[in-house]
């Protein structure tokens, strides 16, 4: 879970995209759209103001996570506890990745390693 969720999922993909999309608001011309400010968390995660492909990926990924949570709830112990520890570790690495990329983005020459998937 630390590798799949924490490193590959969060650090290499989700965290840099969220930071790139969040920094979109630092440009004054983009912060004038009040609906983007109100729904900023949804925008950062790619649910709104994103390419159609990014929106579908975000919705499908969220749906898969909800289904997995419902399925894992019925697992007996110790399997459920083992999976929960892995999820906690992955979420810790993901949160750390978001902080890391936010600090990196404060540098003027920072280039996002992934595509932010804004519509044209």
């Amino acid at each position: 879970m630390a590798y799949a969720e924490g490193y590959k999922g969060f650090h290499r993909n989700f965290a840099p995209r969220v930071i790139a999309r969040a920094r979109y608001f630092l440009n004054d011309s983009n912060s004038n759209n009040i609906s983007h400010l109100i729904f900023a968390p949804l925008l950062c995660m790619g649910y709104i103001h994103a390419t159609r492909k990014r929106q579908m990926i975000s919705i499908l990924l969220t749906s898969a996570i909800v289904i997995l949570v419902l399925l894992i709830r019925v697992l007996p112990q110790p399997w459920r506890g083992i999976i929960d520890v892995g999820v906690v570790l992955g979420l810790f690495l993901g949160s750390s990745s978001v902080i890391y990329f936010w600090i990196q983005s404060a540098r003027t020459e920072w280039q996002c390693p992934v595509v932010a998937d804004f519509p044209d």
Side-chain angles (χ1 to χ4, degrees), residues 6-26:
Y7 178 70
K8 285 184 73 178
F10 278 111
H11 187 75
R12 294 198 41 142
N13 210 347
F14 183 76
R17 182 173 293 110
V18 165
I19 297 303
R21 293 177 67 83
R23 291 192 57 85
Y24 171 78
F25 290 111
L26 291 179

Side-chain angles (χ1 to χ4, degrees), residues 16-77:
R17 182 173 293 110
V18 165
I19 297 303
R21 293 177 67 83
R23 291 192 57 85
Y24 171 78
F25 290 111
L26 291 179
N27 183 351
D28 290 335
S29 64
N30 297 326
S31 62
N32 293 333
N33 191 335
I34 192 71
S35 65
H36 288 172
L37 291 174
I38 292 171
F39 299 111
L42 297 175
L43 185 136
C44 289
M45 293 187 303
Y47 289 109
I48 61 172
H49 194 62
T51 61
R52 188 76 175 146
K53 179 181 176 184
R54 170 55 42 207
Q55 288 176 340
M56 293 305 297
I57 290 171
S58 296
I59 291 169
L60 289 173
L61 185 61
T62 303
S63 301
I65 290 170
V66 168
I67 290 169
L68 282 173
V69 166
L70 294 174
L71 290 174
I72 290 171
R73 285 179 47 182
V74 299
L75 283 177
Q77 291 294 349

